Amino acid sequence: MLQIDEKAKIEQYINKISEGIYQEAKKFIESGMSNQQIIDKVISIAVKKFTPESKMIMSSVYNMMIDHTLSNPIFQNAQNKAVLYERDILKELNSKFLFDVPKYIDYEESKVEIKKLISAGVIVIVGGVISITSNNFITIGIAIIVAGVIFFISNDWDKKTEYDISKLIKEYLYNVKETMLEWLNTVQVYYDECVYELEKELTR
């Protein structure tokens, strides 16, 4: 697992991306766009930015965790170290979590996707935050769309005659950040499970 300071660095990086998206949203608001257009654009930008960034973040997290693993006495042995690298956990993670950026976001399709993911046990939604179970494959972009759709539906934004669009965008981006952090927890759990299995094999 990551150390507290390492988690803090990752969270700061995600906050930086979110702040950039929020600054773009402010320009949309100032330009006089409708709230519907602003929300559509913000979700689209979040998906396009966080999807590729998530792969880089995961690689960074993997490098931090493997450094911790290599400090474990069992992997001080050159042969065991080689076995760890041969396992190629990063490759497994890259194949487990898909990083395709949707070309077009269809909210109706997303709602259907939400129901499928929930019924399959792939995701659990608490307060608009998406938790992804470690035994399932999921597209990161879809997770962010789901976070947005769930958030806006739960807030019933489209039926309100008056609301603070700026505040709503901030809350959405907060939910996206929390979804990203939950996803990273899933990555860490999966990595730890792989290392634990490897350690059992090496100590037989």
Side-chain angles (χ1 to χ4, degrees):
M1 297 295 280
L2 296 177
Q3 301 297 315
I4 293 174
D5 62 326
E6 292 170 332
K7 289 180 179 179
K9 286 179 182 177
I10 295 295
E11 186 169 354
Q12 286 172 5
Y13 186 68
I14 293 172
N15 282 336
K16 184 178 178 181
I17 298 170
S18 293
E19 180 57 28
I21 296 171
Y22 179 68
Q23 292 305 318
E24 290 190 61
K26 282 174 65 176
K27 293 178 184 177
F28 299 146
I29 295 169
E30 291 166 3
S31 73
M33 275 186 189
S34 70
N35 289 335
Q36 176 70 62
Q37 289 175 316
I38 293 168
I39 288 168
D40 288 348
K41 278 188 169 291
V42 168
I43 293 179
S44 180
I45 290 169
V47 171
K48 288 175 182 175
K49 287 199 173 182
F50 275 110
T51 302
E53 286 286 353
S54 61
K55 188 169 188 176
M56 294 185 352
I57 291 171
M58 188 175 73
S59 294
S60 296
V61 167
Y62 167 82
N63 289 331
M64 292 175 191
M65 290 192 295
I66 200 165
D67 283 344
H68 296 317
T69 303
L70 290 170
S71 67
N72 187 324
I74 193 173
F75 293 109
Q76 297 296 303
N77 176 301
Q79 185 175 351
N80 289 350
K81 185 177 180 179
V83 170
L84 173 64
Y85 280 117
E86 285 171 11
R87 174 64 188 266
D88 202 351
I89 300 173
L90 181 59
K91 183 178 179 180
E92 291 182 33
L93 287 168
N94 280 323
S95 64
K96 188 173 186 60
F97 299 101
L98 310 177
F99 300 91
D100 297 326
V101 180
K103 292 181 180 178
Y104 172 72
I105 298 173
D106 186 311
Y107 295 105
E108 290 306 315
E109 283 186 12
S110 296
K111 290 175 187 176
V112 172
E113 188 71 19
I114 291 168
K115 291 178 182 177
K116 287 181 182 177
L117 294 171
I118 293 172
S119 62
V122 177
I123 62 171
V124 177
I125 303 170
V126 180
V129 178
I130 312 303
S131 296
I132 306 167
T133 61
S134 60
N135 295 321
N136 292 283
F137 294 78
I138 190 166
T139 301
I140 302 307
I142 289 295
I144 296 170
I145 295 170
V146 170
V149 173
I150 285 293
F151 176 73
F152 293 121
I153 289 174
S154 64
N155 278 275
D156 208 21
W157 65 269
D158 56 337
K159 294 180 182 176
K160 293 179 181 178
T161 55
E162 292 183 14
Y163 57 89
D164 186 341
I165 185 66
S166 180
K167 182 180 177 183
L168 201 63
I169 295 300
K170 280 185 178 179
E171 290 177 13
Y172 163 64
L173 291 172
Y174 173 80
N175 277 25
V176 169
K177 181 190 81 171
E178 292 299 306
T179 292
M180 290 292 295
L181 294 175
E182 284 292 330
W183 165 70
L184 285 173
N185 284 336
T186 304
V187 170
Q188 292 177 77
V189 168
Y190 184 82
Y191 175 90
D192 287 343
E193 288 173 350
C194 290
V195 171
Y196 177 69
E197 290 173 6
L198 201 54
E199 287 175 348
K200 282 201 302 183
E201 291 174 12
L202 293 171
T203 52
R204 280 177 186 168

